[in-house]
Amino acid sequence: MTVDHIPSVADRRGSAPAPGPVTSRPHTSIATRRHRAFYMFASPWIIGFALLTIAPMAYALWLSFTTFDGISPRWHYVGFGNYRELFSDAQTWKSLGRTGLFAITSVPLSIIAGLGLAVLVNRPLKARGLFRTLLYLPAVVPPVGAGIAFKQLFDQNSGAANGVLNVFGIDALGWLADPYARYVLIMTVLWTAGNIMIISLAGLQDIPRELLEAARIDGASAWRSFRSITVPLLSPVLLFQTVTGVIASVQTIMPLLLAPDPTPAGITALPQSNYLYMMHVFAEYFAFGRYGYASALLWVLFVLILVATGLIFKATSGVVFYNVDPEAKK
């Protein structure tokens, strides 16, 4: 082959097939990708909330309009019959009153105890981390374990509490019976004050030190600084603890764990001072088998919690101080 017959580079390029149209992938905005990532990570919680919270609540609402007993297929729809019976049930109102008294007593005491511990461990003490750990440990004890421990501690025959009283020549007391059972119940609430302590401690450390230093320079006492600076700046934390404390107190099952016979058969033998609203619900469910009526009790409690929470927010709207206006639009 001679040089004249060698095709040039231009000829070879011309003989190549023309490329087809270039297709581009659809453009996805950053906001869309963020939304997808959010729902992907939140989907386990959303699915769990729907299956484990919304579905049981809907089922309980349906049961509240029936006479279902959990076993027999012979049940019928009664409409608002359970709710009408509820409002005329003296035991319901008595248990609700005891629950309200328990919440009014235990919630302020637990908040004061937790705040006092937080102020204590916020000071520059030696082994401060150890003290914080020891004071918080009771809060991580499961309620069942705490209930068993308190039950043994205050046992009338072999409890350590009566052992201490005997040393001072005082007769043994029936701590788990009326009228002392309510005090033991409050002690179980104060036992978990370490949880409130940790939250209050975080709030205390968020308070600007410049304000406290300025108050000290102006001659304000420690109590005046605490009352005029610390408490107002800590008010959102105290509001949170009040709301969550009220919700937890009206749903407590600790009286059942302190009962001499914590079974459906023995629930009706609870001390009257510890026969709270949830104990009444438990008795209707498992001792009497009235699933429909007990479900109505739970839904009334749900509404009462919503109302109580709204009233707390309304009553504290003028005394809670926010560094950022909660109503401001972002």
Side-chain angles (χ1 to χ4, degrees):
M1 179 182 294
T2 63
V3 178
D4 297 338
H5 294 87
I6 297 177
S8 63
V9 176
D11 295 337
R12 290 198 300 269
R13 287 179 178 175
S15 61
V22 179
T23 59
S24 60
R25 297 177 60 183
H27 177 70
T28 303
S29 64
I30 296 178
T32 302
R33 290 198 296 268
R34 287 179 177 176
H35 291 164
R36 290 177 181 176
F38 167 78
Y39 286 111
M40 181 181 67
F41 284 109
S43 58
W45 182 88
I46 295 174
I47 295 172
F49 180 74
L51 295 179
L52 302 179
T53 302
I54 299 299
M57 289 181 65
Y59 180 64
L61 180 61
W62 173 76
L63 284 181
S64 68
F65 298 110
T66 68
T67 59
F68 185 58
D69 62 359
I71 300 176
S72 174
R74 297 181 179 179
W75 57 269
H76 58 276
Y77 178 81
V78 293
F80 289 94
N82 288 326
Y83 292 93
R84 287 192 293 268
E85 180 183 354
L86 182 154
F87 286 106
S88 61
D89 185 1
Q91 191 63 263
T92 298
W93 289 105
K94 291 179 181 178
S95 62
L96 186 61
R98 297 188 197 102
T99 303
L101 180 61
F102 171 68
I104 294 173
T105 305
S106 62
V107 173
L109 288 177
S110 60
I111 292 176
I112 293 173
L115 180 58
L117 292 175
V119 172
L120 178 64
V121 298
N122 194 41
R123 299 176 64 85
L125 304 172
K126 293 183 178 180
R128 182 171 57 178
L130 177 61
F131 283 115
R132 291 176 180 177
T133 303
L134 293 177
L135 291 173
Y136 180 69
L137 277 179
V140 301
V141 176
V144 175
I148 294 175
F150 272 88
K151 188 175 178 179
Q152 294 178 349
L153 179 64
F154 290 97
D155 185 82
Q156 184 173 2
N157 299 319
S158 60
N162 281 332
V164 173
L165 294 180
N166 291 333
V167 172
F168 294 96
I170 303 176
D171 295 335
L173 299 178
W175 290 102
L176 301 179
D178 287 327
Y180 304 105
R182 69 183 68 184
Y183 305 121
V184 177
L185 183 60
I186 293 177
M187 290 180 192
T188 62
V189 177
L190 298 177
W191 168 257
T192 59
N195 190 20
I196 297 178
M197 178 199 71
I198 291 296
I199 300 175
S200 298
L201 181 61
L204 288 174
Q205 294 180 347
D206 192 47
I207 296 176
R209 296 299 175 186
E210 296 81 2
L211 297 178
L212 298 175
E213 289 293 332
R216 184 180 63 83
I217 294 174
D218 290 340
S221 62
W223 169 248
R224 181 60 185 272
S225 298
F226 179 79
R227 186 185 63 183
S228 302
I229 298 176
T230 302
V231 172
L233 293 179
L234 206 62
S235 55
V237 176
L238 299 178
L239 174 62
F240 168 79
Q241 293 171 346
T242 301
V243 173
T244 56
V246 169
I247 294 174
S249 63
V250 299
Q251 299 183 42
T252 183
I253 60 169
M254 190 57 71
L256 179 63
L257 302 177
L258 296 174
D261 182 15
T263 62
I267 188 65
T268 55
L270 275 174
Q272 284 298 305
S273 59
N274 280 5
Y275 193 82
L276 305 183
Y277 193 87
M278 285 302 297
M279 299 302 98
H280 186 46
V281 173
F282 186 89
E284 294 294 338
Y285 260 119
F286 303 108
F288 306 131
R290 304 184 63 191
Y291 280 48
Y293 184 68
S295 298
L297 288 172
L298 285 178
W299 265 98
V300 169
L301 179 63
F302 175 69
V303 174
L304 290 176
I305 289 175
L306 290 181
V307 173
T309 303
L311 291 176
I312 292 173
F313 276 102
K314 184 68 174 178
T316 59
S317 60
V319 296
V320 177
F321 174 81
Y322 294 96
N323 290 327
V324 179
D325 185 5
E327 302 296 333
K329 296 181 180 180
K330 295 182 179 181

